[in-house]
Amino acid sequence: MSENKMHGQIQIADEVVGVIAVTAALEVEGVVAGSHGKGFTEFFGKKGHTKCVKVVKDENDAVLDMEIIVKFGTKVQKIATEVQEKVKSTVETMTGLNVAVVNVSVSGVVKEVKAEEEE
């Protein structure tokens, strides 16, 4: 996003939009926030927090392509739709961008591990 106002120019990096989108997606019940697999830690971890989202912007519109992992036993279509709505709303509210499209790909399903099994 780039605005030329009386006080100067404002730019929001694609990575910032990506972090906002990923954080919003993780707030949706059924989207998995962690796993013991190294691949998933890298997928959503600090090293590549935006690895699962691609942001394409023009002047004031953005298109987001996201990959999510959901919990086994959840309604995948419902979760994907909720992610689309949550991400669109959050990115628009925080950045002022118009989010034209949020494409969601479900790239995995994981079984929830109980706390006892982790010890």
Side-chain angles (χ1 to χ4, degrees):
M1 174 180 169
S2 177
E3 288 187 29
N4 197 359
K5 300 272 183 176
M6 185 185 316
H7 300 290
Q9 193 173 29
I10 299 171
Q11 294 181 339
I12 300 173
D14 290 353
E15 186 175 281
V16 172
V17 176
V19 169
I20 293 167
V22 169
T23 304
L26 290 172
E27 290 177 356
V28 174
E29 182 69 32
V31 175
V32 181
S35 175
H36 8 267
K38 181 182 177 189
F40 190 72
T41 302
E42 290 174 2
F43 191 69
F44 275 125
K46 290 182 180 179
K47 288 183 181 178
H49 194 62
T50 60
K51 196 180 241 185
C52 61
V53 63
K54 178 183 172 194
V55 179
V56 178
K57 297 184 302 190
D58 60 18
E59 278 298 307
N60 288 315
D61 291 329
V63 173
L64 284 75
D65 295 317
M66 300 191 71
E67 291 183 35
I68 62 171
I69 297 175
V70 298
K71 291 178 187 173
F72 180 80
T74 58
K75 294 184 179 184
V76 177
Q77 181 69 33
K78 181 181 177 210
I79 290 172
T81 301
E82 288 179 26
V83 166
Q84 286 176 316
E85 293 167 358
K86 179 77 172 177
V87 168
K88 178 177 173 46
S89 171
T90 304
V91 170
E92 286 180 342
T93 300
M94 292 184 71
T95 66
L97 284 170
N98 177 49
V99 177
V101 178
V102 178
N103 297 312
V104 176
S105 297
V106 179
S107 61
V109 177
V110 295
K111 200 168 187 179
E112 201 169 356
V113 179
K114 295 184 173 143
E116 306 158 0
E117 294 175 3
E118 290 180 354
E119 295 174 359

